[in-house]
Amino acid sequence: MRKRSILALLVILMITLSSPIYAATPKAGASCTKAGSTATSAGKKYTCIKSGKKLVWNKGVAIATPVPTPTATPVPTPTATPVPTPTPTPINLTWDNIAANYSEIATNVYNEGQLLIDKNYQPKYKLTVLVGPNTKPTVINPTAAFALASNLLKNFKQPDEVYAIYYNYSDKNWAKKFFQDNDGASWWNWTVDYSCKNENDCELASAGSLQNWKGYVETAVPNNPWWSERSQYAEQDIHEFVHVVQSYQPKPAYGRWVTGNPRWVTEGHATLIQKLGANQTLQSYKWNQASQIKKFAPDASLKDFSPASILQFYEQLVPVDGVDIVKTNPELQKFVYTLGYATVEALAAIGGIDSVMNLILQNVPGTTFNKTFKNIYGIEWAAAAPILAEIVSKQSK
């Protein structure tokens, strides 16, 4: 019997230990088993307390629900909205205000020059490039420079064919033969000799039209040129191509572009187009403009850059039949590229860039430079010259 009792007791114990214990849900006033114990139910915390001789759950205390700390939304740092710099309204330059506003000339002319360039422009002339047999580099390509000059002058007639001849001192006779074969005039030998005087002075150029109205550009090349690609010296090619177009305007009056116009007009105009074509930004153009105007200092041929001296410069360059300033006054000649450029740029600012070529176009036999000037600019040359001299004098300082 004792063994059976012990065995029954063990079975009961095993059943009890293997069964889950479920705690009663605490309720205020309900019995509990151990003083000080706690239990949580329905959002309250109950504590087992002694009430008289009984252990019961107290009324319970509500459990405070933690309030989540709000995450601070970062306040974006205000970004200053850039205020666009207003583009200054271009000043309309006239004969009455240009002297007072001469600093605006470069901006006005450069901006107009950019508008003249047509990105889709294709020149129509046939270009033949000839390089002397002993000239280095053997490949010289002025195509891009000529096309840009042609583009800027597209409003004017241009020759159907253009020759570009490059030669060094050893190839001078080769260059002279080209002109004798294609034109035959007596002055071509002098032209080549002037561009390439000797081995150490051989890098000038000239351009115009042959008597058959084909354009030409002849360029002397030193034995060791500073450029390796012709594009590095595009300015010279642009400048000379302008002379090709200038020379073609008075057709059929051959040579009128030289004999009918002051040299400062033709060379100043070529220099203007040269600078417009070679500079990609206004800042660059302005810097080069100032450098070009101040390139040569006064000398015995022009004692200073006062308005009076510049007026004298204009007077000395009035065309005279049979007189070539290049031969008669070579020292004064160099200023046509500086003071002449400044003068032409001012004319372009007043009348537009095309006005200068129109001056050459309309100055045909039977008229005069002064008449043509008044027709284009609406003012007598005698009245315009002092204004231009004042402007050029200011720019030269």
Side-chain angles (χ1 to χ4, degrees):
M1 285 293 290
R2 172 178 280 181
K3 288 182 180 179
R4 291 180 178 175
S5 298
I6 292 172
L7 181 59
L9 181 61
L10 289 173
V11 171
I12 294 171
L13 180 60
M14 290 175 65
I15 293 172
T16 302
L17 291 175
S18 63
S19 301
I21 299 173
Y22 296 97
T25 301
K27 186 177 179 181
S31 297
C32 54
T33 58
K34 185 179 179 180
S37 62
T38 61
T40 302
S41 177
K44 285 187 177 182
K45 181 179 180 181
Y46 296 90
T47 303
C48 185
I49 60 173
K50 190 173 183 179
S51 178
K53 293 182 179 182
K54 296 181 179 180
L55 292 174
V56 296
W57 295 109
N58 67 0
K59 295 180 179 181
V61 179
I63 300 172
T65 303
V67 179
T69 303
T71 303
T73 303
V75 178
T77 303
T79 303
T81 303
V83 178
T85 303
T87 303
T89 303
I91 297 174
N92 182 33
L93 297 175
T94 66
W95 290 108
D96 293 328
N97 67 12
I98 191 169
N101 297 285
Y102 73 95
S103 61
E104 300 296 321
I105 292 174
T107 300
N108 283 24
V109 174
Y110 178 81
N111 288 340
E112 184 189 346
Q114 294 304 295
L115 294 175
L116 273 178
I117 298 174
D118 179 357
K119 294 181 180 179
N120 298 316
Y121 176 78
Q122 294 292 329
K124 297 178 181 178
Y125 53 81
K126 175 187 175 183
L127 174 61
T128 302
V129 180
L130 303 172
V131 180
N134 301 296
T135 302
K136 305 295 183 203
T138 57
V139 177
I140 300 177
N141 187 2
T143 303
F146 284 2
L148 179 55
S150 177
N151 194 341
L152 285 162
L153 301 172
K154 62 182 172 293
N155 294 330
F156 298 91
K157 56 188 178 182
Q158 300 180 18
D160 296 326
E161 190 169 353
V162 178
Y163 290 100
I165 306 104
Y166 295 89
Y167 60 94
N168 63 10
Y169 182 77
S170 298
D171 289 332
K172 283 178 62 175
N173 288 334
W174 170 86
K176 291 177 181 179
K177 186 176 186 304
F178 166 84
F179 286 111
Q180 292 306 317
D181 291 346
N182 288 275
D183 186 285
S186 60
W187 58 75
W188 295 114
N189 286 350
W190 179 91
T191 300
V192 172
D193 287 336
Y194 182 81
S195 295
C196 186
K197 298 176 179 63
N198 54 62
E199 284 197 82
N200 299 316
D201 186 3
C202 185
E203 58 181 333
L204 297 182
S206 69
S209 292
L210 302 173
Q211 292 184 88
N212 59 10
W213 293 102
K214 293 180 180 179
Y216 79 90
V217 175
E218 62 87 19
T219 305
V221 179
N223 288 332
N224 296 298
W226 61 266
W227 46 270
S228 56
E229 296 287 338
R230 191 57 189 171
S231 59
Q232 296 170 307
Y233 203 6
E235 285 198 39
Q236 188 180 47
D237 289 331
I238 294 171
H239 182 105
E240 298 307 329
F241 191 87
V242 176
H243 289 324
V244 172
V245 182
Q246 289 172 342
S247 68
Y248 202 72
Q249 299 315 296
K251 184 182 179 181
Y254 184 77
R256 175 68 181 180
W257 71 290
V258 173
T259 60
N261 298 285
R263 187 59 66 93
W264 61 260
V265 172
T266 54
E267 293 296 354
H269 180 224
T271 305
L272 172 64
I273 301 301
Q274 162 194 334
K275 295 301 178 183
L276 288 174
N279 290 281
Q280 305 301 311
T281 66
L282 174 59
Q283 182 179 5
S284 172
Y285 177 79
K286 284 184 172 181
W287 187 89
N288 278 279
Q289 178 234 36
S291 297
Q292 180 68 26
I293 293 172
K294 300 173 184 178
K295 185 175 182 179
F296 301 120
D299 59 19
S301 66
L302 191 67
K303 64 178 182 178
D304 57 39
F305 293 146
S306 65
S309 292
I310 293 171
L311 279 173
Q312 186 179 14
F313 166 75
Y314 294 149
E315 291 170 6
Q316 289 180 280
L317 291 173
V318 172
V320 176
D321 286 342
V323 177
D324 186 348
I325 184 76
V326 177
K327 298 176 181 178
T328 60
N329 197 341
E331 289 301 313
L332 187 66
Q333 155 75 8
K334 63 179 176 289
F335 292 110
V336 300
Y337 302 99
T338 57
L339 307 182
Y341 162 53
T343 304
V344 166
E345 189 189 39
L347 291 176
I350 292 173
I353 293 173
D354 282 354
S355 69
V356 187
M357 188 66 89
N358 278 319
L359 190 59
I360 298 169
L361 171 64
Q362 295 181 27
N363 187 8
V364 296
T367 186
T368 64
F369 172 78
N370 289 355
K371 289 179 180 178
T372 306
F373 186 92
K374 183 178 181 181
N375 182 52
I376 292 173
Y377 296 105
I379 186 175
E380 296 283 354
W381 167 248
I387 299 172
L388 295 168
E390 179 185 352
I391 292 167
V392 175
S393 177
K394 290 177 177 179
Q395 291 179 318
S396 301
K397 295 178 180 178

